[in-house]
Amino acid sequence: MVRKAMAKAEELRRNGKGSGSGEAKPREAAEEPRPPKVAASDGLAYQPRRSAHEIKHLFTSAEMPMVFLGTDGRIQRFTSGAQKLWHLMAGDVGRPFADLAIPFGITDWEELVAGAIESRKTMARDVQDDAGRWYHLRLRPDRSGNQLLGIRVLLLDVDTLKRNLEEAHQARDFLEAMAETCSKPLVILDDDLTVIRATRSYYTTFRTTRQETEGRGFFELGGRQWNVPQLQHLLQEVLPRNQRLSDFEVEADFPMLGMRKMILSGQMIRPESGGAPVIFLAIEDATERLQLEELAREKRAILEASIQAIVSTRPDGKIAMANNRATQMFGYSRNGLLGLPVERLFSRRHREAYFAGRKAYFENLSNRSAGVRLDLRGVRKDGTEFPMALYLSHVESVVGTLTLSLITDLTQGRPAEEALQLSQEHLTMVQQTTGFGFWEWDAGSERARCSPEWGPLHGLPPSDHTPTQSEWLALVYPDDRDQVTRALNEALEGAKPYQAEFRLMWPDGSVHWILSRGNVIRDGDGKPQRITGVSVDITARKRVEEEWQALSAKLAAAQEEERRRISRELHDDLVQQLAGLSIEMGTLTNDPRTDPKRLKKHLRSLRDRLIQAAETARHAAHDLHPSELDDLGLAATLRAYCEDFGQREKIAVEFASRNLPEALSREAASCLFKVMQESLRNAAKHANAGRVSVVLEGTAGGIRLHVEDTGIGFAVPSLVAAAGLGISGMKERIHLMKGRFTVHSEADRGTRITAELPLSRSR
């Protein structure tokens, strides 16, 4: 829209410029002055002292609304366009222009004209006529040299341009407001994937600033966590073709945030005017959502696996959830149960007993550590009745307190105690939800009610003991207490829901990580009454994160050691050879009396040494990453390397391969090549081996590499601890590929190294 309006404005500008481009400047005419008159053909008043060329040009631009005023502000002539627009007549020539009824609501014509005359500069203003149409008014001094002849009043119709610009500004403001109110982080990229704009939620989520974001490449942001090859391919290749990107998942270690899962969705927008496209990229931090979805799936699996009917009802008494066993027990479909009043599941004579039991349960909730058992008669959809045992409990949800009912069909005559015990076991299983502990803290008394799982989460046995807030804080690791207290206070003040990750010191001295979340329940006046929440042990996750960080550090150290080794080899071998060649060539150059035969002999020697240096450089490049690995595959590359290594090190190296998979990823092939390369180097350098066997074979679940030598062998603990042997680097490479790495060695019995990668990681 904006481009169309600008094009229209440019057209109007060119038309306006063209109409006056051939106009001659006013000059004194030689002929005698004649009385002013109006030309009948074009509506122009005749003006003395104008050239014939100028009069002719004015005829050609007669449709443009233009009025020529003298220095006294009186009308000298006008075009037919001005005659139509201002309703001028031939008799208006000679009259003051300000005296006419100008239909534009401008009351300061005299000041405008006087200002143009006095300043001898163009005066401009946007005006509207009585119909609301926009025009651009220009008062331009008409000069001949230094002599001011009058004022030229020009009116351009800019209504379309004005309204198009206004629409463009409104559209821009709308888009900016929409982007700023978007709850998800949003970045806008140009076609080079450079950030044009990011929303406030982006800066808040990723804890960065506008200066660190705008004008930078998207893949360079933060810790380059977006620099994912598949994402690059989607943004650079797929998105321009399909114009959409949906639900692409990136899991990375983000600065200030840690390991997070982000979901990206994008849209490429191409302007109708043909301008450069832009990309709108929305980012969702889906870490908690995916965890909750996984938890919901686990909870649903537990519910569906139960042999008891499980039904939850909302505060209005209608069924909100029912498992598969409930549909079988009562003969309804799942949709038929949802929204059904729960009393429809009981016989009429037992409904009052159900309501009375539920009321008694909630009235004595604070003094009750277990649920309530009710013996009722159930009613199936077909009207048949059956005896059942119903066990009442409750859970808190976003819609309020849900009544949870576990129902056992007693038709088969199962003893009541057995049914009650089974109901209790399944209710406990539902509440545990794979290790979660529920708690409720009373804001007034600081007393807490906890599920039995709360104790084991804190290193305590299951108990009915209800700790106070102070007793609970005493279990929190000292360095984390301020953080936990601050999170609780912020939740009570209404700043945000309660959430905290903190450490616990168990009675046995071990430290465990806990993730705790909760919601504040308030009264009608908004005062906090209690906090209900759930806690889960995340120690395993934290250990994985720590192991990953340690693994990354070890790999970096191994890479640095590899770089030092390559540097030493280049310095001790190739650099020395090149230095010797340089010295010898300098000697030959500085001795002009060298005999030709002797010179020829020296040149042959230099050539042989250059060939040797080139071969050394080739071996160094081959050790880093042989090109055959990409061109011929892993097996052919290992075979060629074994032959070359055996000839070079004077060691018998045997290679065999069998049952190999059809394809391997470049990463897997490179990993196994490095392991074999380091193993052969150890066999030659440290083991004094005379023979080495290399076997590459496919397995049912992956690919395996064996390297076995007949060297002196080592004690395995000392072998692994020896940094110079590269064992740590090989182990870290295999572990990063989710593979297995083993070393077996005995003194005087050689060493056997086995590395195995799964096919799912090697393709």
Side-chain angles (χ1 to χ4, degrees), residues 26 82 158 230 232 247 262 282 350 367 389 472 501 513 556 610 654 689:
V158 295
Q230 186 178 356
Q232 289 186 12
D247 299 333
M262 301 293 175
H350 285 85
N367 299 322
W472 172 68
E501 289 186 6
W513 279 92
L610 279 172
E654 300 174 353

Side-chain angles (χ1 to χ4, degrees), residues 202-277:
Y202 176 88
Y203 298 125
T204 302
T205 299
F206 294 98
R207 303 178 187 178
T208 185
T209 64
R210 186 185 299 272
Q211 292 76 15
E212 296 172 338
T213 305
E214 293 184 4
R216 299 186 59 187
F218 179 67
F219 298 117
E220 300 174 0
L221 297 180
R224 300 180 66 86
Q225 63 275 349
W226 305 117
N227 193 17
V228 179
Q230 186 178 356
L231 180 58
Q232 289 186 12
H233 173 70
L234 289 172
L235 292 181
Q236 295 171 349
E237 305 294 338
V238 178
L239 190 60
R241 294 198 301 268
N242 298 334
Q243 296 190 340
R244 289 191 67 86
L245 170 68
S246 299
D247 299 333
F248 180 79
E249 183 175 318
V250 174
E251 183 173 11
D253 188 359
F254 290 83
M256 308 293 291
L257 301 179
M259 291 298 299
R260 311 294 289 176
K261 286 186 178 180
M262 301 293 175
I263 303 296
L264 281 71
S265 298
Q267 172 84 39
M268 174 171 278
I269 299 178
R270 300 181 184 275
E272 295 180 358
S273 59

Side-chain angles (χ1 to χ4, degrees), residues 341-395:
V342 70
E343 62 265 23
R344 294 278 295 275
L345 303 182
F346 316 128
S347 67
R348 292 183 180 276
R349 63 181 181 276
H350 285 85
R351 291 177 183 176
E352 291 186 5
Y354 167 77
F355 288 124
R358 189 177 69 176
K359 180 180 179 182
Y361 171 79
F362 284 104
E363 285 179 349
N364 297 282
L365 191 61
S366 59
N367 299 322
R368 190 183 304 279
S369 60
V372 168
R373 159 77 180 271
L374 300 175
D375 291 313
L376 305 172
R377 298 282 295 180
V379 178
R380 296 186 174 91
K381 184 179 181 181
D382 61 8
T384 59
E385 296 186 3
F386 64 97
M388 67 179 188
L390 184 146
Y391 188 83
L392 280 176
S393 186
H394 76 286
V395 293

Side-chain angles (χ1 to χ4, degrees), residues 694-708:
V694 179
V695 178
L696 182 68
E697 61 181 353
T699 65
I703 184 170
R704 183 187 299 129
L705 174 70
H706 294 286
V707 181
E708 187 170 0

